[in-house]
Amino acid sequence: MKKEYDVVIVGAGIAGLYGALNLSPGLRVLLVCKEELILSNSALAQGGIAAVIDTENDSADAHFNDTLIAGGFKNNPNAVRILVDQGPNEVRALIEQYGAEFDHENGSLHFTLEGGHSKPRIVHYKDYTGRAVSETLIEAVKKRKNVELLEHAVVCGMAKGKGFSFDILSGDEHFLVSSHYCILATGGIGRVYEYTTNSKIATGDGIALAYQLGAKIKNLHLVQFHPTGFANHLTRETFLISESVRGEGAYLLNCRRERFMHKYDERLELAPRDVVSHAIMEEQKATGSKEFYLDITHKPANFVRERFPMIYSRVLEQGFDMTKEPIPIYPCQHYLMGGIDVDLNGKSSVDRLYAAGECSHTGVHGNNRLASNSLLEALVFSHRAADEINRLAQQEQISPVPAEFPEIQNALPLPAGIRTETRAIMQRAYFITPNQQEIVNGYERVCALKKQLETTPYRIDRDYVEAKSLVTVAYIILKELL
Ligand SMILES: Cc1cc2nc3c(=O)[nH]c(=O)nc-3n(C[C@H](O)[C@H](O)[C@H](O)COP(=O)(O)OP(=O)(O)OC[C@H]3O[C@@H](n4cnc5c(N)ncnc54)[C@H](O)[C@@H]3O)c2cc1C
C-alpha cells in the first residue's frame, strides 16, 4: 500500500464506485470500505433508478415537477434540474460503458412506476437493481489500474492540513494515509434507529467525520420513514417491501383488512412515502392497532413471482406467500435527505472535501425523497465531484503533510449499551412525527454521551467509531429539532 494518494474515497456504494470510475486514470485513488465491496445500502436497492429515457412519453420537466412535489417544494431547484437533465446520461453510461443490465419488454427498456411519479420511468433489474448495478461497477473498478481497493477497513479519523490524513483500521492495525482530495461516500444513518431497512454499515461515519472537520451539515432531521418495511421486529435490519409493489397495484390494508388510503390522499397507495407513512400513523390512531398489510393477491401469481423474485422468496422464508395472502408491513427508517452540505459539484464547505450519495445534502430531495431518485443522485453528483477534482488536480500540485493520530495510552474498552440507548432515544423522540418532550430529554442525554465518548480514552476500534458516529448524528438531529 502507498502512503499518499491524490484522492481517497471513503465508501464503495454506488456513489463511491461511480466517483472512482469517473476520476481521471492519471490520479492515484484509494477506495476504502468497512466490509466487503458488495455490502452497502446500494446493493440493497430494489426498485430501481428514476430517469427519463423515454422522451416520447415522458419529459425531464415532469420528473422535475414530481421531485419538487414529493419534496414539498423545499428542494434546491438548481440541483433538481441537474439531476433530471444529467441523470439519463448516467443511466445510458451504465448500460453502454459498463454493461449494466436492466429489464426489457418487447425489446425496449421496461419502465416501472413508483409512488409520486406521474409516469413509469424507473429502470430496474427484477427487484434487485442495486445489487446488479453494484456488481457491474465493482467489476469495472477492479479493472482500473489507478484505483486501489481496501476492504474491511474503517476510516476512524481524519485530519485536515494541506490535504487530508486518514487514520485507517484494518484488522487490528491502524495506519496512516494522506491525500490531496477526499470524497466521502459513506451512505446513510439507518442504524441510529431501532428498525431500519439499512445495512449494518449505515452508521453515519462520514457525516461525523465531516462534522469533526468543521464541514457544514444540513437538514439532518429530514429522515425518511418507508411505509412498507416487512413487519418482523425480530431483527434490526427490516426487509423492505419495495414501493414498486404498490407501483404494480398492491393495496394497503388496515387491521380489518380494509383499504384506507382514500381517507388521507387522493393518490391512494401511490402517494409519496411521507404521506403514506403519516396516513398509517393516523390509521393506527383510528383503529388502535399497529397491524397493517400490503396486498397484491389480486394480480396473477406468475406475474408477482416473476416481477418480484427476491421479495417473493424473502417473504416466503418468513412464512408468507404474497401471491395468496397479504404481507404484514409497518413503517421504519429508510433514508436520509440531509447530510454534508455540498454545492452543485459535490464540494463541501471544507476545501478539497467532497461528499456524494446518501451522506451528502445536495438539496435535490427537499423534505422527502421521491422514490428511486437516490441512486440517480449518487450517480449524477459523484460524477460531478469527480469531474471537478479532475479539473482542479490538473491545475495545482499540493503535498499533503500527514497528521499524527496520537496513540491512546491505557485505552479502555467501550462500555456496552451506548448504541442501544441512542437508538431507543431516537425511536421515542422522532419516529415519523417528532415528540417534543422526548426530543428535549433525548438531547440532554445524547449531549452527555457525546461528551463521554469525546473525553474518555476509549480504544479506537470499529465499535467506538460507530458508537461515536451514531451519537454525533443523533445529537445533530435532535439539536435541529429542539
Ligand atoms: C433496502 C433499500 C432499498 C432501496 N431501494 C432504492 C431504490 O430502489 N432506488 C433508489 O434510488 N434508492 C434506493 N435506496 C436508497 C439507496 O440505495 C441509497 O441511498 C444509496 O444506495 C446510497 O449509496 P451510497 O453510495 O451513498 O452509500 P452506500 O451504498 O450505503 O455505501 C456506503 C459505503 O461506505 C462505506 N463506509 C461507511 N463508513 C465507513 C468508514 N468509516 N470507513 C470505511 N468505509 C465506510 C461502507 O462500507 C459502504 O461501502 C434503497 C435503500 C435501501 C436500504
Side-chain angles (χ1 to χ4, degrees), residues 10-16 32-35 39-42 44-48 153-155 185-187 197-198 201 205 240 334-335 356-358 369 372-375:
V10 190
I14 282 178
V32 194
C33 61
K34 279 204 276 202
E35 297 272 341
L39 207 155
S40 65
N41 275 358
S42 295
L44 293 179
Q46 300 175 351
V154 182
V155 173
T186 50
T197 59
N198 289 193
I201 54 90
D205 297 3
L240 177 73
H334 181 57
Y335 184 77
E358 193 167 338
R369 167 173 72 93
S372 288
N373 265 355
S374 161
L375 294 180

Side-chain angles (χ1 to χ4, degrees), residues 4 41 192 294 362:
E4 193 185 308
N41 275 358
V192 80
L294 191 65
T362 60

Side-chain angles (χ1 to χ4, degrees), residues 229-461:
F230 181 70
N232 162 15
H233 283 176
L234 298 176
T235 56
R236 175 154 304 117
E237 192 168 324
T238 302
F239 179 65
L240 177 73
I241 312 295
S242 166
E243 187 117 13
S244 52
V245 180
R246 276 177 289 134
E248 297 291 356
Y251 303 138
L252 280 166
L253 308 179
N254 63 16
C255 60
R256 298 185 210 110
R257 313 267 171 141
E258 294 164 352
R259 288 180 76 185
F260 58 91
M261 277 307 297
H262 58 278
K263 292 190 240 168
Y264 304 100
D265 197 282
E266 62 188 13
R267 291 164 290 184
L268 307 175
E269 279 83 357
L270 286 178
R273 286 173 190 174
D274 57 338
V275 175
V276 180
S277 290
H278 275 103
I280 290 177
M281 290 297 107
E282 287 305 306
E283 190 64 10
Q284 177 175 317
K285 276 189 218 151
T287 62
S289 168
K290 281 179 141 183
E291 225 178 279
F292 289 91
Y293 298 91
L294 191 65
D295 185 3
I296 193 160
T297 54
H298 50 285
K299 293 279 174 180
N302 272 351
F303 165 77
V304 172
R305 278 194 292 265
E306 190 73 3
R307 175 68 183 84
F308 303 110
M310 200 249 295
I311 298 176
Y312 173 76
S313 64
R314 286 291 299 271
V315 170
L316 197 60
E317 279 166 24
Q318 303 290 328
F320 293 86
D321 181 344
M322 67 192 275
T323 64
K324 297 195 179 118
E325 61 198 317
I327 309 165
I329 55 92
Y330 197 70
C332 64
Q333 194 284 347
H334 181 57
Y335 184 77
L336 175 69
M337 272 76 68
I340 305 161
D341 197 35
V342 294
D343 67 14
L344 298 177
N345 291 319
K347 191 177 161 304
S348 77
S349 61
V350 171
D351 189 33
R352 298 167 201 276
L353 181 66
Y354 292 76
E358 193 167 338
C359 71
S360 70
H361 171 270
T362 60
V364 294
H365 305 303
N367 282 353
N368 173 55
R369 167 173 72 93
L370 182 64
S372 288
N373 265 355
S374 161
L375 294 180
L376 190 69
E377 181 199 31
L379 293 169
V380 167
F381 288 91
S382 66
H383 192 164
R384 294 176 74 84
D387 279 350
E388 181 160 298
I389 293 172
N390 292 340
R391 267 195 311 276
L392 293 175
Q394 269 192 343
Q395 291 162 12
E396 54 167 14
Q397 278 300 321
I398 55 156
S399 291
V401 184
E404 290 298 316
F405 292 94
E407 218 171 281
I408 296 169
Q409 301 302 319
N410 306 318
L412 303 169
L414 187 74
I418 292 181
R419 294 204 255 192
T420 308
E421 186 181 355
T422 308
R423 289 182 182 116
I425 289 171
M426 290 306 293
Q427 197 75 28
R428 284 196 303 270
Y430 179 34
F431 176 63
I432 302 182
T433 315
N435 177 324
Q436 213 51 43
Q437 190 52 52
E438 294 289 351
I439 287 170
V440 173
N441 299 343
Y443 178 70
E444 208 174 294
R445 179 64 188 140
V446 161
C447 283
L449 288 174
K450 183 166 171 284
K451 191 164 172 208
Q452 178 187 335
L453 288 167
E454 284 167 355
T455 54
T456 316
Y458 290 126
R459 189 169 53 234
I460 311 284
D461 55 14

Side-chain angles (χ1 to χ4, degrees), residues 96-114:
E96 289 159 19
Q97 261 176 271
Y98 302 109
E101 278 190 50
F102 294 103
D103 281 358
H104 283 69
E105 197 174 58
N106 305 324
S108 305
L109 276 172
H110 177 252
F111 304 111
T112 193
L113 187 65
E114 293 189 319

